Amino acid sequence: MNSYLDRRAFAKALLLATAGPFVLRSSAFAASHDDQIVRIGYMVAPDSLNPFATWSSVAPLIYTFDFLVGVDAQRHEDRKGFAKSWSVADDNLTWTFNIWPSMKWSDGEPATARDAAFTYNYLRDSIGKPDELNAGWNSTDGMENVESIKAIDDETLQIVTKAPTRWPIDNLIMIIPEHIWKAVSYSDARRTFRNDPPLVGTGPMVISEFQQGQFVRCTPNPYFRGGKPAAGMVMFFFNSFDPMVQGLKSGELDYGNLTAAQWTSLSEDSNIVVGQHGTESRSYLAFNTASGQGKGSTKALLDPAFRDAIGYAIDQKAIVDRAYRGHADPGIGLVMPVAAEYYSDLAEIRRHFDLDEAGRRLDAAGYRNRNGDGIREDKEGNPLQLEMITGTLSGTDEIPTAVMQLITGWLGQAGIPVSVTQLDPGALSARTKAPADGGGGWDLLLASNWPSPTPDGLLSLGKSGDHVNRSYWTDEKFEALVSQIAVTVELKKSQELVDQAARLIYTDAPYIILTYPYLLEAHRTDRFQGWGKDDAISAGWSYFPFDRLEPIR
């Protein structure tokens, strides 16, 4: 089963803002210091505003609909979702959520625990039916462990699970209004219902206009629980970085994301603040560990000793300095530093860059250059000539070309020639599907993903059957740890189990984690105030800061 939070990675590209020429001709783009509208840009345009039918609509829906809890509400006291507070009983099964009192939907109707119960049960009751709601952002994934969900009263929601799990607070299901959705069939919700503007939500923004492929216009929600926001918003959907930077410089855009070169350039503009902050993104080199259908060109890929030796031939610090211009942290294990509750630097087992050591380990494992031609042979006597495929998977960060150049250079020095095949997103996705679905037939994969900072997301690269496990690696001990984590509520115990799993997969080395890239962003300082300090906007985990931006008068 796919990780119920890993669909999060698909939509993360929505936060890599770029700009396209067609927007510059749009009347919606014209900026004025007096119109009280924040203008931002996004890379992937939503094809629908229906969270049950698509994954691409998380922006702008995240500004209209609330999660019950979610990531930001657990990290920041001032970024709460539909629930004001929550607790779990001593049995670790019964969760109680206190819903904001007297909260209203943006159309003025009461927003209560009954709407939250409706949302979850609307999904849960579709399980096993022909039109099960598992095709979009709001999905049945993860609900198989739910025993019951009910509203005790208007301000109290109760979720009872079959086994201990943190799913009730970690899930990213958007809470919808029962009075709008109760008449929508599962078939329509999954396919044809577009949820056209004006949308009805409890977030700070009301989506009032949607021009597919161009922009979404949002107006302040007059009933938002924190007070009506002072500024509206227009989100533009673009296709190249350069025009977006020009929009920032001219004042036509208020916020956008950048390349490393643009970040340096804009840092010199007195009206623009550039920033960088860690995210859950990680780039990696994956080995094809399939042994049957979809296998790679050599059995060496199945050998942990071979993969471990390759790890010594890769210099993550050089990749950060030379390919990312310093705008990343060197990769280590599955867990990135920003996921601080679960992060470990794996100091006592961590590899270090040493081509001589890589060579010694390859020799010891039986991969020698026996005929003196500079190319090592595998244990069957065949010369090692690996194919590395790469590209940008949908919803992931683009990996700089210099990364593949560095890796192929180092492996070549180690006696392992590597050819590179660059693929478009569709072709790369097809090649990296599970072998049973027609994928495989490659040796190395250079890619990235952006999981949630929960155990389920952090460990997704190694989970058997998970769609982001593109190495096809399986391990019974790892699966047992994942199963234990899934029924663990106590944080300390969860941390211990995640650490064990992270060490296990690091040692077996189906992946070499290369970097944890930073999100590079810029915002103007002459039109609005209230941007975040560590992150100007939430990296897709909540509506922040569009509930509190104010025009500079």
Side-chain angles (χ1 to χ4, degrees), residues 41-54:
Y42 287 85
M43 182 157 76
V44 179
D47 53 7
S48 166
L49 298 178
N50 176 358
F52 297 93
T54 181

Side-chain angles (χ1 to χ4, degrees), residues 2-290:
N2 293 344
S3 163
Y4 65 81
L5 279 172
D6 288 333
R7 62 185 185 275
R8 181 82 188 118
F10 176 88
K12 274 295 184 177
L14 297 173
L15 295 169
L16 302 178
T18 61
F22 70 89
V23 173
L24 299 178
R25 298 194 294 269
S26 168
S27 60
F29 198 89
S32 165
H33 283 267
D34 300 322
D35 64 7
Q36 300 183 14
I37 295 175
V38 185
R39 290 166 171 81
I40 62 177
Y42 287 85
M43 182 157 76
V44 179
D47 53 7
S48 166
L49 298 178
N50 176 358
F52 297 93
T54 181
W55 290 359
S56 69
S57 62
V58 64
L61 293 185
I62 198 170
Y63 306 119
T64 292
F65 296 121
D66 280 310
F67 304 133
L68 182 63
V69 180
V71 175
D72 260 12
Q74 296 181 65
R75 289 178 172 175
H76 305 279
E77 183 64 29
D78 61 344
R79 302 185 192 181
K80 294 292 179 61
F82 202 82
K84 182 179 181 180
S85 60
W86 55 89
S87 61
V88 62
D90 291 342
D91 63 4
N92 283 332
L93 301 174
T94 305
W95 293 78
T96 301
F97 298 86
N98 299 311
I99 308 305
W100 294 93
S102 304
M103 184 164 58
K104 293 183 178 181
W105 294 101
S106 54
D107 62 358
E109 291 291 318
T112 72
R114 303 183 198 285
D115 292 288
F118 167 80
T119 301
Y120 288 115
N121 287 320
Y122 185 68
L123 283 163
R124 186 165 170 262
D125 292 346
S126 78
I127 294 176
K129 296 181 179 178
D131 294 310
E132 180 176 343
L133 298 176
N134 57 7
W137 184 267
N138 273 12
S139 171
T140 56
D141 285 354
M143 301 195 77
E144 63 278 355
N145 194 29
V146 174
E147 181 67 38
S148 66
I149 303 174
K150 63 181 179 180
I152 304 301
D153 54 42
D154 283 355
E155 296 179 8
T156 310
L157 177 74
Q158 182 188 83
I159 297 179
V160 179
T161 60
K162 298 175 182 177
T165 173
R166 294 178 65 84
W167 179 88
I169 58 174
D170 285 345
N171 78 84
L172 296 174
I173 291 170
M174 297 176 179
I175 306 301
I176 57 172
E178 180 178 9
H179 66 281
I180 300 294
W181 285 85
K182 64 182 179 182
V184 181
S185 69
Y186 289 145
S187 177
D188 288 346
R190 183 182 169 96
R191 297 180 181 86
T192 60
F193 184 65
R194 290 184 56 82
N195 199 28
D196 289 327
L199 269 61
V200 176
T202 51
M205 294 290 156
V206 175
I207 298 175
S208 57
E209 184 180 1
F210 174 37
Q211 295 294 328
Q212 187 170 341
Q214 297 184 46
F215 66 89
V216 168
R217 186 185 302 275
C218 299
T219 56
N221 177 1
Y223 297 105
F224 182 59
R225 57 187 173 273
K228 180 181 177 181
M233 181 200 311
V234 178
M235 288 167 280
F236 297 96
F237 305 106
F238 307 140
N239 56 25
S240 70
F241 278 97
D242 290 340
M244 184 274 295
V245 172
Q246 294 305 314
L248 280 166
K249 289 181 176 179
S250 68
E252 292 175 304
L253 280 177
D254 297 298
Y255 174 90
N257 290 120
L258 313 169
T259 66
Q262 292 165 341
W263 190 90
T264 301
S265 174
L266 287 182
S267 65
E268 300 172 358
D269 192 314
S270 61
N271 289 317
I272 295 176
V273 172
V274 297
Q276 64 178 19
H277 58 90
T279 69
E280 294 79 10
S281 180
R282 55 194 174 192
S283 66
Y284 59 80
L285 182 71
F287 297 86
N288 181 347
T289 66

Side-chain angles (χ1 to χ4, degrees), residues 324-343:
Y324 286 86
R325 302 191 184 191
H327 297 294
D329 287 322
I332 307 173
L334 290 187
V335 183
M336 60 292 299
V338 73
E341 289 181 331
Y342 297 100
Y343 176 71

Side-chain angles (χ1 to χ4, degrees), residues 422-549:
Q422 290 187 281
L423 301 170
D424 63 39
L428 185 62
S429 179
R431 287 286 302 272
T432 57
K433 285 183 178 179
D437 297 324
W442 48 270
D443 298 321
L444 304 174
L445 166 66
L446 179 60
S448 69
N449 85 318
W450 195 331
S452 74
T454 64
D456 187 74
L458 296 171
L459 301 178
S460 57
L461 283 182
K463 291 172 60 180
S464 178
D466 199 297
H467 71 289
V468 301
N469 180 355
R470 300 183 187 275
S471 76
Y472 316 137
W473 179 77
T474 61
D475 183 272
E476 291 183 0
K477 292 182 180 179
F478 188 89
E479 292 301 317
L481 288 168
V482 168
S483 297
Q484 281 185 267
I485 294 166
V487 293
T488 299
V489 172
E490 200 269 313
L491 180 59
K492 184 177 180 181
K493 180 62 176 177
S494 181
Q495 291 169 329
E496 293 172 353
L497 294 170
V498 168
D499 186 63
Q500 291 178 43
R503 291 170 183 274
L504 190 159
I505 195 171
Y506 184 88
T507 302
D508 211 63
Y511 300 91
I512 306 297
I513 304 300
L514 304 174
T515 66
Y516 310 118
Y518 298 155
L519 182 65
L520 306 182
E521 61 185 3
H523 67 274
R524 294 192 64 87
T525 60
D526 55 350
R527 295 195 65 231
F528 295 93
Q529 58 188 0
W531 303 97
K533 294 181 180 179
D534 296 326
D535 50 348
I537 71 172
S538 171
W541 297 121
S542 76
Y543 48 75
F544 175 84
F546 299 104
D547 61 325
R548 64 198 72 182
L549 290 181

Side-chain angles (χ1 to χ4, degrees), residues 302-324:
L302 308 181
D303 186 353
F306 175 80
R307 302 191 300 253
D308 174 67
I310 295 299
Y312 284 88
I314 294 175
D315 187 348
Q316 282 93 337
K317 179 65 165 56
I319 291 175
V320 167
D321 293 341
R322 296 164 63 180
Y324 286 86

